[in-house]
Amino acid sequence: MIEAWVIGLRAVQYIAAALLFGLPAFLIYSARATGPVPLAWPRPALFWAAVALALAAPAALVAQTAMMAGSLGEAIKPGSLGMMVTGMGLGMALAVRSAIAFLAVAAIAMIRPGPRLWWVCVWLGLVVSASFAWTGHGAATEGSGHGLHLASDILHALSASLWVGALAAFAALVIWRPTNPSAQDRALARALAGFAGIGTVAVAVLLLTGLVNSAFLVGWCGLWTLTDTAYGRWLVLKIVLFGLMLSLAAVNRFRLTPAFKTDLDSRPVLGHLRRSLVVEFALSLAVLTIVAVMGTLAPPASLL
């Protein structure tokens, strides 16, 4: 039961962190494209993402302590929590993440929507996303490869958050229809075109760091028996869903976006683009949930 809570709380933290980092980053690098359109949804989205993180991170600290201590009653004792925070990198990372989440809630509540708030959220979200390296398998690698695996894990988390946050923004742009939809359609077309370069870099980093992480967690020998372990089976599913996301992203970039930019009045193209972006965003949430499950499983390399 506690393990199920750990997985659920991990998933909530991954999604909230992706929004807290990737969404304001999108608002910054797409400001020229979306500036003419008044956007009412970013601040509430960021606020509730920060609130979810502020609730999930401390709860995850208690749940992880319960797994270590053997019971929830033991986990809520100050001594047990204190030992978790001061004696383990995982506990310290969760404590820092909790503090950053509460700071983000306060900042979003007090600062008016605009570049200043977006930059504050980007930096806070960056710290939160990077902290996942210390609550995952990356920090557990020992020896000369520790630094490389940890750095790869950090870059992997940041790239994923950047992509998922942008997908959330695109999904909101195609779902939220203001009184002047033609202006929003033009903004969407410009934003999609502008994201092409950043999206390509994010995907390239994800692929490269994914290979590095797999080399540490699966290894050459584990590759041939991948489906014999629970971790391996979830990894295969993650790769399949990631492949579907890449396919949709390619269709969006090379087919739907050019067609939509050429003819903004094309309802069929907009309909296809809307469905594709929403499905891609839904797949990204599914991948983050799978990553939450994988974080509780022993990787094949550790079993050799």
Side-chain angles (χ1 to χ4, degrees):
M1 182 64 178
I2 294 178
E3 185 173 345
W5 276 103
V6 168
I7 293 172
L9 291 169
R10 276 177 178 264
V12 171
Q13 291 176 84
Y14 289 153
I15 295 169
L19 293 177
L20 196 59
F21 175 62
L23 180 53
F26 171 87
L27 295 171
I28 291 170
Y29 61 71
S30 298
R32 187 171 298 179
T34 59
V37 180
L39 301 177
W41 48 264
R43 189 183 191 184
L46 289 171
F47 178 79
W48 289 113
V51 168
L53 187 63
L55 295 174
L61 177 59
V62 174
Q64 290 285 173
T65 306
M67 288 190 68
M68 299 289 184
S71 69
L72 183 60
E74 186 66 29
I76 60 177
K77 293 181 179 179
S80 299
L81 288 172
M83 187 177 298
M84 184 72 169
V85 171
T86 59
M88 299 189 66
L90 183 149
M92 178 61 72
L94 284 168
V96 170
R97 195 179 303 157
S98 302
I100 294 293
F102 282 103
L103 186 60
V105 171
I108 296 168
M110 293 187 297
I111 302 175
R112 295 179 60 183
R116 183 186 174 194
L117 177 59
W118 308 152
W119 276 110
V120 168
C121 288
V122 161
W123 286 112
L124 294 177
L126 185 149
V127 174
V128 171
S129 294
S131 72
F132 288 119
W134 281 269
T135 55
H137 295 300
T141 299
E142 299 178 348
S144 58
H146 174 77
L148 175 60
H149 191 188
L150 190 63
S152 177
D153 226 14
I154 291 172
L155 289 175
H156 196 77
L158 292 177
S159 300
S161 294
L162 195 67
W163 191 7
V164 175
L167 288 176
F170 286 130
L173 283 170
V174 297
I175 293 173
W176 184 278
R177 308 305 293 167
T179 55
N180 186 8
S182 60
Q184 180 140 331
D185 289 344
R186 289 192 294 272
L188 175 62
R190 292 192 298 268
L192 283 167
F195 180 69
I198 294 174
T200 299
V201 172
V203 170
V205 173
L206 277 172
L207 289 171
L208 178 60
T209 55
L211 290 173
V212 172
N213 291 345
S214 295
F216 282 103
L217 299 176
V218 177
W220 182 255
C221 295
L223 185 63
W224 308 110
T225 57
L226 194 60
T227 56
D228 292 343
T229 63
Y231 182 97
R233 291 189 289 272
W234 282 107
L235 177 60
V236 170
L237 180 57
K238 175 190 171 184
I239 292 172
V240 170
L241 296 186
F242 180 72
L244 291 175
M245 288 179 64
L246 284 181
S247 299
L248 289 173
V251 171
N252 291 343
R253 178 176 177 181
F254 298 111
R255 181 181 175 185
L256 295 179
T257 297
F260 182 56
K261 194 174 182 181
T262 302
D263 185 7
L264 294 176
D265 295 324
S266 175
R267 296 299 99 186
V269 174
L270 179 58
H272 288 309
L273 187 59
R274 179 185 291 114
R275 287 189 292 272
S276 179
L277 288 170
V278 171
V279 170
E280 189 179 349
F281 178 54
L283 286 173
S284 72
L285 299 183
V287 169
L288 291 180
T289 303
I290 290 172
V291 173
V293 176
M294 293 170 63
T296 64
L297 302 173
S302 67
L303 303 175
L304 298 177

